[in-house]
C-alpha cells in the first residue's frame, strides 16, 4: 500500500467523522492495510494483535478463494464489504416488538420463544430487554467463582493477552484457508473461554448470555481452552432466526483440549436462508477446528444447521493426544434454493485415537446438500478407529444429496467403518400417517425428527426441543 | 353409516371399480371376498382417500356427508380406519409416538385435550397384552423390521386405540399363523359394537370362523356380484370363485 493511499484513506475517514463520532461509524467499504490498522486501533489492541492481523492480511492477499463443485453462488465482492460495522446505536434499532417484521414474530411464535427473548433476537434496543442484563451478571459471578474466564474476544485480548498470544491461531493457523486468513485479519469480536485445570464448568456456556457482543457475527472469532482435566459444554447460536444484515459470514472457532479435558460444542444455526427463489440469505463460510492436544482428551461437535443460503463448514478434530476422542454429530437441512456443503475432518495422529461421525442430511425443495468428510490416519496412529454413518433424506424429487467420504489411511492397524444410506419420504408413508389422522405436515416433521434422533440426543435438553421445533419451521411447505 | 352408490374408480388408465354399490349400517360386520385383482384393496383405498385412485363416477356418503369431499386425515378423524394390506415401514419414527399422535389428532378434532401420557401407555400395554404383542414393539420404529404377522397385529393395535366408527381391514388375516389369527380375531370381536361397523376384506373363509360376519359380498371385476349371509362364504370355499363369475355373467 502506498503512502498516498493511506493518506487518502485517513482523510476520508476524517471527512466522515470517524474520529469524532467513533461510536456510530462504520469503516468505508473495501479492505487494505489501513482498514486492518483502523480495526485494531478502534479496539485499543496491543501491538502483538495488530501484527498478527497484518500478517494474516498479507497472507490472505496471496490466497485464492476456494471453489467447490457443489456450491453455486454469485462471487463475493470483497471490496464492497464494510469490514467494521459498529453495533447499531439504540436509535437505529426497533424500539419495541411493534416495530419488528410481523413475519419474524410469527416464526418466534411457532418456535415458542419466550417474549423477553424475542425482543433480544429481533434486535430491539437492549435497554428494553429488561431481564437479560441481570441474568448475565448472575452467571458471570458464578463462573468467576469457579475460575472460569468467559468474555468477549476483545476483552480477552486486553485482559488475558498471555492466553490469547499462546493459543490464538494454534489450531487454525492464519493461512489455513482463504476465509480463515480473512477472518484473522479483520475479525470483529467473538467469545473467549478458559476453563482452569480440573474444573467442571458449573453451567452450559452460551453466547445467549453474552449480549454485549451482539451484531459481531460477520467475522466472529471464538477460542475455547479447556485445561487439563476440565470439562465444558458450549452452546453457540440461537434457535430462532436472527435478524442479521451481514451477507458474508466467515467465522473461526478454535478449541484446545489439554490432557483429559472434554469440550462439547453445540451449534444451532438458523440464519436467514434467502427466499424461495434464492434471493438474499447468508453465505456461511466457517472454519471450526478442535485440537485434542492432550492424552485422553475429547472434543465433540454437534450441529444443527437449518439456515443460510450457502453453508460451507467442516468442524474438525485433530486427535493428537493418545486415546483422544473426536465426535461429530450433524443435522443439515437444505430447503428451497439452499446449498449446504458440510462435514468433518478427523485427523488421527496419536495412538488409539477414536472418532465417530454421524451425519444426517435433509434436502427438500430444490436444495442441494453435500456431506464431505475426511478421515485421515497418520503413520504413527496405531490402533486408530473411526465409525462414520452418513444418512440422507430426500423430500420431493427436485432436491439432491451428495456424499463425498475421503479416507487417507497410512497405518495398517486402523479400523475404519463407513455406512451410508439415502432414503426418501415416500408417498406411502405420508398416506399411512394421514390415514391415522395425522396431517401431512405433521407426518413430515415426525419422519424428519425420527431421522435426526441420534443427533438430537447429543444436544442439551432444552436445545434439543427447540432444534426440533426449528426443523419443523424450516421444512414448512416442503411437501405438496 | 356408509352408502356407496355406483362407484367407479381408476388407477392410471385402468378402470378398476366399475359401478360398485354397497350399504353398511352401524353395528354390522361385512366380509368382502373375491379373487386376486378384483378390486378389494382399491375399494378400501378409495374409501380412505388415496390420491392414486381417481374416482370417475358415483357417490360415497358417510354419516350423512359426502365422503369424497374430505381429505384422508379428515376421514380418519371422522372415524374411518383402514388396516392396510401392506403396512408401510417408517424407520426412525417411534411406534408409540405415531400411535399417540394419531390418538391426539382425533381427540383434537373432537375438541378433547391431549391424552395423558401415563394413561396412554397403560392403555396401549393392555391392548398389546390382549393381542399377544410384546410391549417392546412400542419403542421400535413403525413397522420397522416387523414380520408380516407383527405388522398385522400392529394394525389391530392402532385400530383398538383409535376406536373407529368404520374399520376396514384389508387382508389382515393373510400370512398369519393360527395363534396370530386368533389374536387378531379377538381384537376385532372386542371392538364389535352397536355404533361401529367393520368391513373384513379377505380371501379365505378361515377368518370368518373366528369373526362371524352379518353379510358376505363377492367382488369380481370391480363390482359386487353376489351378496348373502355367512353361508355364502362357505359356499365359495366349496365351489371356488369361478362359480360366482359364471353366475355373474350368466
Ligand atoms: N398402483 C397400481 N397401479 C396400476 N394398477 C394397479 C395398482 N394397484 C392395483 N392395480 C390393479 O388394479 C386391480 C385391482 O387391484 P386390487 O384392488 O389391489 O385387487 P385385490 O385387492 O382385490 O386383490 C388389479 O388388476 C391390479 O393389478
Ligand atoms: Mg388386495
Amino acid at each position: 500500500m502506498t503512502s498516498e493511499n493511506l493518506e487518502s484513506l485517513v482523510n476520508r475517514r476524517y471527512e466522515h467523522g470517524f474520529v469524532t463520532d467513533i461510536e456510530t461509524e462504520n469503516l468505508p467499504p473495501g479492505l487494505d492495510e489501513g482498514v486492518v490498522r483502523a480495526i485494531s486501533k478502534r479496539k485499543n489492541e496491543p501491538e502483538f494483535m495488530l501484527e498478527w492481523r497484518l500478517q494474516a492480511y498479507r497472507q490472505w492477499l496471496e490466497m485464492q478463494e476456494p471453489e467447490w463443485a457443489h456450491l453455486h453462488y454469485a462471487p463475493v465482492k470483497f471490496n464492497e464489504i464494510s469490514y467494521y460495522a459498529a453495533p447499531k446505536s439504540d436509535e437505529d434499532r426497533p424500539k419495541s416488538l411493534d416495530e419488528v417484521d410481523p413475519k419474524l414474530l410469527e416464526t418466534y411464535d411457532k418456535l415458542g420463544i419466550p417474549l423477553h427473548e424475542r425482543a433480544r433476537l429481533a434486535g430491539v434496543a437492549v435497554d428494553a430487554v429488561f431481564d437479560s442484563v441481570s441474568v448475565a451478571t448472575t452467571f458471570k459471578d458464578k463462573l468467576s467463582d469457579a475460575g472460569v474466564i468467559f468474555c468477549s474476544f476483545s476483552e480477552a485480548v486486553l485482559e488475558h493477552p498471555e492466553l490469547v498470544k499462546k493459543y490464538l491461531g494454534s489450531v487454525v493457523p492464519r493461512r489455513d484457508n482463504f476465509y480463515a486468513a480473512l477472518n484473522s485479519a479483520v475479525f470483529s469480536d467473538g467469545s473467549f473461554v478458559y476453563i482452569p485445570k480440573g474444573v467442571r464448568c458449573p453451567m452450559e456456556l452460551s453466547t445467549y448470555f453474552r449480549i454485549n457482543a451482539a451484531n459481531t457475527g460477520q467475522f466472529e472469532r471464538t477460542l475455547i481452552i479447556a485445561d487439563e482435566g476440565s470439562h465444558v459444554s458450549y452452546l453457540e447460536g440461537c434457535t430462532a432466526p436472527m435478524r442479521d444484515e451481514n451477507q458474508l459470514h466467515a467465522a473461526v472457532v478454535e478449541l484446545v483440549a489439554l490432557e483429559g479435558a472434554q469440550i462439547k460444542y453445540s451449534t444451532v444455526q438458523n440464519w436467514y436462508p434467502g427466499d424461495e427463489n434464492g434471493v438474499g440469505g447468508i453465505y456461511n463460510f466457517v472454519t471450526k477446528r478442535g485440537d485434542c492436544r492432550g492424552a485422553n482428551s475429547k472434543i465433540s461437535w454437534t450441529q444443527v444447521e437449518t439456515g443460510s443460503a450457502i453453508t460451507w463448514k467442516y468442524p474438525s478434530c485433530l486427535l493428537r493426544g493418545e486415546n483422544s476422542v473426536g465426535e461429530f454429530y450433524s443435522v443439515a437441512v437444505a430447503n428451497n434454493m439452499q446449498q449446504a456443503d458440510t462435514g468433518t475432518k478427523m485427523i488421527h495422529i496419536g495412538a488409539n485415537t477414536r472418532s465417530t461421525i454421524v451425519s444426517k442430511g435433509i434436502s427438500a425443495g430444490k436444495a442441494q446438500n453435500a456431506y464431505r468428510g475426511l478421515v485421515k490416519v497418520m503413520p504413527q496412529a496405531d490402533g486408530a478407529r473411526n465409525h462414520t454413518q452418513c444418512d440422507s433424506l430426500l423430500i420431493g424429487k427436485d432436491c439432491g444429496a451428495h456424499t463425498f467420504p475421503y479416507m487417507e489411511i497410512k497405518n495398517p492397524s486402523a479400523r475404519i467403518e463407513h455406512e451410508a444410506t439415502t432414503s426418501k419420504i415416500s408417498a406411502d408413508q405420508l398416506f399411512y400417517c394421514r390415514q391415522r389422522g395425522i396431517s401431512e405436515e405433521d407426518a413430515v416433521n415426525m419422519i424428519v425428527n425420527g431421522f435426526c434422533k441420534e443427533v438430537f440426543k447429543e444436544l442439551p435438553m432444552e436445545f434439543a426441543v427447540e432444534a426440533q421445533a426449528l426443523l419443523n419451521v424450516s421444512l414448512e411447505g416442503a411437501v405438496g | 353409516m356408509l352408502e356407496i352408490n355406483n362407484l367407479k374408480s381408476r388407477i392410471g388408465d385402468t378402470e378398476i371399480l366399475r359401478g360398485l354399490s354397497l350399504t353398511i349400517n352401524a353395528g354390522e360386520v361385512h366380509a368382502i371376498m373375491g379373487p386376486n385383482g378384483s378390486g378389494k384393496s382399491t375399494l378400501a383405498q378409495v374409501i380412505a382417500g388415496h390420491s392414486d385412485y381417481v374416482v370417475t363416477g358415483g357417490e360415497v356418503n358417510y354419516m350423512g356427508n359426502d365422503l369424497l369431499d374430505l381429505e384422508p386425515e379428515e376421514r380418519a378423524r371422522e372415524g374411518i380406519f383402514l388396516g392396510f394390506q401392506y403396512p408401510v415401514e417408517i424407520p426412525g419414527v417411534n411406534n408409540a409416538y405415531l400411535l399417540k399422535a394419531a390418538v391426539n389428532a382425533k381427540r383434537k378434532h373432537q375438541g378433547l385435550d391431549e391424552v395423558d401420557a401415563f394413561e396412554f401407555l397403560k392403555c396401549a400395554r393392555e391392548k398389546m397384552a390382549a393381542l399377544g404383542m410384546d410391549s417392546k414393539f412400542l419403542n421400535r420404529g413403525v413397522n420397522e423390521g416387523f414380520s408380516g404377522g407383527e405388522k398385522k397385529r400392529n394394525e389391530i393395535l392402532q385400530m383398538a386405540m383409535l376406536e373407529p366408527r368404520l374399520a376396514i381391514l384389508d387382508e389382515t388375516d393373510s400370512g398369519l399363523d393360527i395363534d396370530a389369527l386368533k389374536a387378531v380375531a379377538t381384537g376385532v370381536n372386542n371392538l364389535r359394537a352397536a355404533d361401529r361397523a367393520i368391513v373384513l376384506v379377505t380371501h379365505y373363509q378361515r377368518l370368518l370362523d373366528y369373526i362371524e360376519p352379518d353379510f358376505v359380498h363377492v367382488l369380481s371385476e370391480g363390482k359386487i356380484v353376489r351378496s348373502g349371509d355367512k353361508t355364502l362364504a362357505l359356499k365359495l370355499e366349496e365351489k371356488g370363485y369361478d362359480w360366482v363369475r359364471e353366475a355373474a355373467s350368466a
Side-chain angles (χ1 to χ4, degrees), chain B residues 173-221:
Chain B
D173 54 332
S174 54
L176 295 189
D177 61 32
I178 192 73
D179 289 340
L181 186 71
K182 280 184 184 163
V184 164
T186 309
V188 174
N189 284 327
N190 285 342
L191 271 184
R192 286 183 90 145
D195 57 355
R196 179 173 293 135
I198 297 171
V199 178
L200 305 168
V201 173
T202 180
H203 250 355
Y204 311 105
Q205 152 66 25
R206 190 174 75 139
L207 177 69
L208 307 181
D209 289 340
Y210 299 97
I211 310 171
E212 208 172 289
D214 300 304
F215 300 95
V216 174
H217 311 277
V218 181
L219 196 60
S220 175
E221 294 176 4

Side-chain angles (χ1 to χ4, degrees), chain A residues 152-362:
Chain A
S152 72
F153 203 93
S154 305
E155 207 177 318
V157 170
L158 300 177
E159 306 290 324
H160 308 283
E162 68 300 339
L163 286 172
V164 173
K165 223 187 259 180
K166 182 166 177 192
Y167 291 104
L168 179 67
S170 72
V171 187
V172 180
R174 284 174 302 224
R175 58 178 324 138
D176 187 79
N177 67 70
F178 183 82
Y179 294 104
L182 178 61
N183 174 288
S184 301
V186 302
F187 68 83
S188 33
D189 210 334
S191 299
F192 178 87
V193 176
Y194 174 79
I195 315 289
K197 271 185 198 170
V199 170
R200 260 175 199 271
C201 189
M203 68 191 64
E204 314 256 2
L205 299 182
S206 154
T207 39
Y208 176 88
F209 295 114
R210 220 201 53 237
I211 49 173
N212 57 328
N215 200 27
T216 55
Q218 189 164 21
F219 297 105
E220 190 158 346
R221 187 96 200 179
T222 299
L223 177 57
I224 299 177
I225 303 140
D227 213 326
E228 290 171 19
S230 68
H231 281 59
V232 63
S233 168
Y234 184 88
L235 315 180
E236 172 198 54
C238 83
T239 50
M242 284 289 259
R243 213 177 74 124
D244 192 331
E245 292 95 24
N246 296 317
Q247 205 186 16
L248 172 67
H249 277 240
V252 172
V253 177
E254 297 179 276
L255 311 183
V256 181
L258 300 181
E259 191 178 332
Q262 297 193 8
I263 302 177
K264 186 175 172 65
Y265 192 106
S266 313
T267 306
V268 174
Q269 184 267 112
N270 185 33
W271 281 320
Y272 184 55
D275 66 15
E276 313 82 69
N277 304 314
V279 177
I282 283 171
Y283 296 175
N284 188 24
F285 298 145
V286 174
T287 306
K288 289 184 162 175
R289 194 172 304 154
D291 185 355
C292 285
R293 210 164 277 184
N296 304 309
S297 57
K298 175 176 173 182
I299 289 179
S300 178
W301 298 99
T302 305
Q303 59 173 28
V304 176
E305 302 276 325
T306 69
S308 298
I310 294 178
T311 298
W312 178 91
K313 175 176 162 182
Y314 314 92
S316 309
C317 295
L318 299 172
L319 303 171
R320 295 209 275 180
E322 265 180 34
N323 302 315
S324 62
V325 175
E327 295 176 338
F328 174 74
Y329 298 96
S330 168
V331 168
V333 182
N335 194 2
N336 295 322
M337 303 290 279
Q338 277 177 284
Q339 302 172 59
D341 194 311
T342 177
T344 185
K345 291 176 197 161
M346 293 290 174
I347 315 294
H348 293 258
I349 302 164
N352 300 313
T353 46
R354 279 167 292 148
S355 61
T356 302
I357 300 172
V358 177
S359 161
K360 304 277 178 176
I362 300 164

Side-chain angles (χ1 to χ4, degrees), chain A residues 426-429 431-440 442-443 446-451 453 468, chain B residues 45 49-50 71-73 76-77 80-82 84 88-90 92-93 97-98 102 105 143 155 158:
Chain A
S426 74
D428 283 346
Q429 288 173 333
F431 183 67
Y432 188 85
C433 294
R434 293 178 80 189
Q435 210 305 303
R436 299 298 181 252
I438 298 161
S439 72
E440 189 162 77
D442 288 347
M446 212 157 73
I447 295 170
V448 166
N449 286 324
F451 177 74
K453 212 158 42 188
Q468 195 164 325
Chain B
Q45 298 281 350
H50 197 298
E71 293 293 325
E73 57 269 36
R77 292 171 200 158
I80 292 181
F81 178 91
L82 170 58
F84 287 84
V88 67
E89 300 196 7
I90 314 180
V93 175
Y97 190 88
L98 177 110
N143 295 322
E155 296 290 286
Q158 293 179 355

